[in-house]
Amino acid sequence: METARAKTGISVFDDMLFGGFLEGSANLIEGAPGTGKTTIAMQFIYNGIVNYDEPGVIITFEEFPQQYYHDALQFGWDLKKLEAEGKLKVIFSDPETALDEIENMEGGFVTIIEELGAKRVVIDSMTHFESLTRNRLELRDIERRFINSLKREGVTSVLLRENDSLLGQIAHVGSKIPFIVDTYILLRYVEIDSSIQKALTVLKMRGSNHQKDIRKYQCTAKGIEVESTFAGREGIMSGITRHTPEDAFIDVFGKKKSR
Ligand SMILES: Nc1ncnc2c1ncn2[C@@H]1O[C@H](COP(=O)(O)OP(=O)(O)OP(=O)(O)O)[C@@H](O)[C@H]1O
Ligand SMILES: [Mg+2]
């Protein structure tokens, strides 16, 4: 039987995921500063509550709670109101506490997830776990334990990860989270004709088919809006594009006349 889907409510993006994230799965969204990671994650939680009746929890390691609520409100997402209605909990924490509170069955986060009946959880961001150790094996173990604890709770999670690459080759990130998660999504900047655009692609999705194309998206006043593919372009994932040979030909010689 086909597993149920947790729709993000972001049109086109759900189509790319063949309907949405698989329920109970762990999904990594990685991108450079300002690519819209927090926005997508908030949108996933907000739409989950408002459109799909799925309560949510946001665990963030950001230092300024008021800023977080303020940023969400810019998109019209009143997180405080949803918290007052008992449909959302935003938890401001640190990596050490978060790991402890989610691993321990009697821990505070587990209690919150269960009392709220949360179906969706966001972690903003997984990168902060790197502050707990310099040892790669130990980091991998911490990340695996954290993600397994979320799975044990049966929630669909969106895990964010920072990537320093602004353009050009994607920087190697030390941890191995992409191997542990079910879905791996990359957000990145691309240079096209001297302007910077944003591109999104689903690199892997365990247990489901997914669209393989690279799509343009924008951060708008309504949140993330996914648009068309980059027709006539090559090299998108290298960060710097060029015309396909056909389009380069058209640029120089114009369209071939049909006889
Ligand atoms: N009301 C708005 N209208 C249009 N764009 C907006 C609006 N509010 C925020 N943005 C843009 O959304 C973009 C994404 O911000 P977001 O905080 O989601 O990125 P991020 O990937 O989480 O960044 P960071 O790595 O710093 O955490 C920003 O570049 C910002 O300019
Ligand atoms: Mg962010």
Side-chain angles (χ1 to χ4, degrees):
M1 205 184 77
E2 166 81 345
T3 313
R5 302 275 171 161
K7 286 182 189 292
T8 65
I10 303 172
S11 58
V12 185
F13 186 43
D14 279 332
D15 298 338
M16 293 176 79
L17 300 165
F18 275 49
F21 295 125
L22 291 172
E23 263 184 19
S25 63
N27 308 284
L28 179 67
I29 302 182
E30 177 172 327
T35 43
K37 300 180 292 297
T38 300
T39 309
I40 288 200
M42 283 178 175
Q43 210 163 346
F44 167 72
I45 290 290
Y46 184 85
N47 287 343
I49 294 168
V50 173
N51 300 333
Y52 310 116
D53 202 21
E54 294 201 345
V57 170
I58 297 175
I59 299 172
T60 172
F61 305 123
E62 300 285 328
E63 286 168 50
F64 304 105
Q66 289 317 318
Q67 180 75 41
Y68 212 79
Y69 290 104
H70 175 270
D71 288 353
L73 213 48
Q74 294 305 303
F75 300 106
W77 307 327
D78 192 341
L79 303 185
K80 283 201 167 147
K81 179 165 165 276
L82 296 179
E83 286 194 293
E85 292 170 357
K87 297 170 182 167
L88 168 72
K89 182 80 185 148
V90 186
I91 302 169
F92 296 88
S93 186
D94 62 86
E96 199 170 4
T97 310
L99 180 63
D100 188 50
E101 300 269 294
I102 197 88
E103 256 199 319
N104 179 351
M105 298 285 278
E106 272 86 50
F109 292 179
V110 175
T111 309
I112 289 170
I113 288 172
E114 290 176 0
E115 282 180 2
L116 208 67
K119 299 275 187 288
R120 301 182 177 208
V121 172
V122 155
I123 311 299
D124 192 357
S125 73
M126 293 300 288
T127 308
H128 288 73
F129 285 107
E130 290 168 24
S131 67
L132 294 182
T133 176
R134 288 176 151 244
N135 181 309
R136 281 198 184 184
L137 287 177
E138 205 177 335
L139 177 61
R140 185 171 183 158
D141 186 55
I142 289 170
E143 291 163 343
R144 188 188 49 75
R145 280 158 49 201
F146 190 85
I147 292 167
N148 283 348
S149 302
L150 290 172
K151 290 206 164 184
R152 183 196 65 216
E153 292 306 309
V155 296
T156 311
S157 59
V158 165
L159 317 170
L160 305 183
R161 182 163 79 151
E162 294 160 14
N163 190 301
D164 296 340
S165 314
L166 289 176
L167 288 164
Q169 284 298 315
I170 300 274
H172 174 70
V173 179
S175 87
K176 298 277 188 190
I177 307 178
F179 292 100
I180 308 171
V181 292
D182 299 294
T183 311
Y184 183 23
I185 291 158
L186 197 60
L187 310 180
R188 67 162 317 170
Y189 293 110
V190 275
E191 182 189 330
I192 294 182
D193 296 339
S194 308
S195 81
I196 301 294
Q197 301 191 5
K198 297 191 186 87
L200 175 157
T201 191
V202 182
L203 291 173
K204 87 165 192 183
M205 191 171 183
R206 267 189 209 142
S208 170
N209 201 350
H210 61 91
Q211 287 180 10
K212 315 289 186 313
D213 46 14
I214 303 163
R215 297 216 167 232
K216 253 184 229 183
Y217 70 93
Q218 292 200 33
C219 298
T220 76
K222 286 186 265 170
I224 298 291
E225 290 185 4
V226 184
E227 303 169 347
S228 53
T229 53
F230 290 86
R233 290 280 164 177
E234 281 182 342
I236 305 285
M237 293 322 276
S238 73
I240 296 168
T241 65
R242 51 189 183 275
H243 284 305
T244 56
E246 296 78 37
D247 279 44
F249 182 91
I250 290 168
D251 266 6
V252 179
F253 300 108
K255 267 202 190 319
K256 279 187 197 166
K257 283 205 181 101
S258 51
R259 290 167 204 263

